[in-house]
Amino acid sequence: MAIITLTTDFGEKDHFAGAVKGAIYSELPDVKIVDISHSISPFNIPEAAYIIKNAYSSFPKGTIHIIGIDSEMNVENKHLAIKLDDHFFICANNGIMSMICAEIAPEKIVEINIHDRIETSFPALDVFVKVACHIARGGTLEVIGKIIQAIKPIKNIIPFVNEEQNQIVGSVIYIDNYGNVISNIKKSFFEKTQKGRAFEISARNYKFKKIYSKYSDIVNFDIPKEKRNDEGKSLVVFNSSNHLEIAIYKSNSETSGSASTLMGLDLMDSISVNFITE
């Protein structure tokens, strides 16, 4: 039985997500539909790319992923169907897949060309659903598009290293539900540049000289619980996706504050790492 996932910036208020699900069930009543997220910030390609990259591999091989972000077709925003890592992705060619394709080469990319048979102002419903159901029935990509060799790159997914190799300049690509600030600096990239050197991480006026393995490492469990004052402390970790993350321990954006709200960090703000040579 096929699985089709949905990742969009439709939100929960409007009819869009429900209409897409209804159209899929109308074609494939026995399909399984899984919502990855409908709460992507509107048109936020780096945010959507981060979520898709870290969610898709938990699904079985052969899963079909519809990505409804900035999907209105025009001459600069064509539609794609991609086979990658034995999964299928249907989205606009707006850079959203380049974060994944930077690490795993696509097996096949086609530019969807069935639009002459479909009149639409809602491509996620009218085009992406048709393509997903075609694939779910065992159809090949060549039937719904022409093979191409490259996709549009996304800007700012790779951090910058200066000529002296003593500084990484990254940027905030995602702010999670806890207000934790996630950068585009991956652990492997950090360690490759670090070469064992001491470092200082800077974000606005905040400085960090230590990276924890997990959030609770900031807690001193030798101190009685009633005497601890750990909640609200700031820290840096490599998160479960191996991205450098600035966090507040047990933060809450709506009450006590978070890394984003307390430090004034927002999407695309700079995070730098300076390496210190003794």
Side-chain angles (χ1 to χ4, degrees):
M1 186 182 298
I3 298 173
I4 297 176
T5 77
L6 302 177
T7 304
T8 77
D9 58 3
F10 296 160
E12 303 296 339
K13 179 180 179 180
D14 300 316
H15 67 279
F16 304 122
V20 169
K21 292 180 189 179
I24 294 170
Y25 282 129
S26 293
E27 290 208 32
L28 298 172
D30 295 326
V31 75
K32 290 184 177 180
I33 301 175
V34 178
D35 299 299
I36 291 178
S37 177
H38 294 296
S39 299
I40 307 295
S41 303
F43 304 103
N44 194 315
I45 291 168
E47 184 177 280
Y50 177 82
I51 289 173
I52 288 291
K53 176 178 179 291
N54 291 299
Y56 88 88
S57 59
S58 295
F59 288 88
K61 300 291 187 182
T63 298
I64 302 155
H65 307 276
I66 292 177
I67 309 172
I69 312 288
D70 187 30
S71 55
E72 184 176 71
M73 194 180 80
N74 56 54
V75 293
E76 296 179 350
N77 203 37
K78 301 295 181 67
H79 293 155
L80 302 175
I82 299 173
K83 185 179 182 183
L84 179 144
D85 198 20
D86 288 327
H87 289 249
F88 296 92
F89 301 85
I90 304 161
C91 59
N93 190 12
N94 52 20
I96 209 159
M97 285 298 298
S98 58
M99 185 181 287
I100 303 173
C101 292
E103 298 183 6
I104 304 173
E107 298 162 53
K108 190 175 293 183
I109 310 169
V110 302
E111 187 175 279
I112 298 168
N113 60 10
I114 63 172
H115 302 83
D116 56 342
R117 289 170 261 161
I118 301 171
E119 190 172 325
T120 182
S121 60
F122 187 180
L125 175 69
D126 300 315
V127 178
F128 292 1
V129 166
K130 293 290 185 188
V131 172
C133 292
H134 167 77
I135 295 169
R137 294 187 188 101
T140 62
L141 297 188
E142 290 87 346
V143 172
I144 48 86
K146 63 176 182 179
I147 292 178
I148 61 173
Q149 300 303 319
I151 60 174
K152 187 183 295 184
I154 192 172
K155 295 179 180 179
N156 301 318
I157 63 165
I158 300 174
F160 169 79
V161 180
N162 68 355
E163 190 173 332
E164 293 79 15
Q165 296 288 304
N166 61 10
Q167 185 184 58
I168 297 173
V169 179
S171 56
V172 178
I173 58 169
Y174 186 64
I175 297 171
D176 71 12
N177 191 52
Y178 301 96
N180 297 328
V181 174
I182 294 141
S183 78
N184 60 348
I185 302 170
K186 293 204 70 175
K187 184 177 182 180
S188 56
F189 187 92
F190 179 96
E191 292 177 343
K192 182 180 178 181
T193 309
Q194 180 190 16
K195 295 182 170 64
R197 293 175 288 181
F199 59 85
E200 183 176 75
I201 298 165
S202 301
R204 291 196 179 272
N205 297 322
Y206 294 86
K207 311 287 185 183
F208 304 89
K209 294 185 178 181
K210 183 174 182 178
I211 300 175
Y212 290 90
S213 298
K214 57 183 185 294
Y215 305 103
S216 62
D217 282 348
I218 202 168
V219 179
N220 184 350
F221 290 101
D222 294 329
I223 299 173
K225 191 171 184 178
E226 64 274 9
K227 294 183 179 181
R228 295 177 200 156
N229 188 27
D230 303 304
E231 292 186 21
K233 286 185 178 179
S234 57
L235 70 151
V236 175
V237 297
F238 284 116
N239 65 17
S240 60
S241 304
N242 284 320
H243 283 255
L244 187 77
E245 175 182 312
I246 299 174
I248 299 291
Y249 184 60
K250 292 197 173 179
S251 63
N252 187 323
S253 297
E254 297 181 359
T255 55
S256 58
S258 66
S260 174
T261 57
L262 295 175
M263 299 181 189
L265 291 168
D266 208 343
L267 291 168
M268 305 316 298
D269 282 351
S270 293
I271 294 175
S272 62
V273 183
N274 291 289
F275 297 105
I276 302 161
T277 303
E278 300 295 339

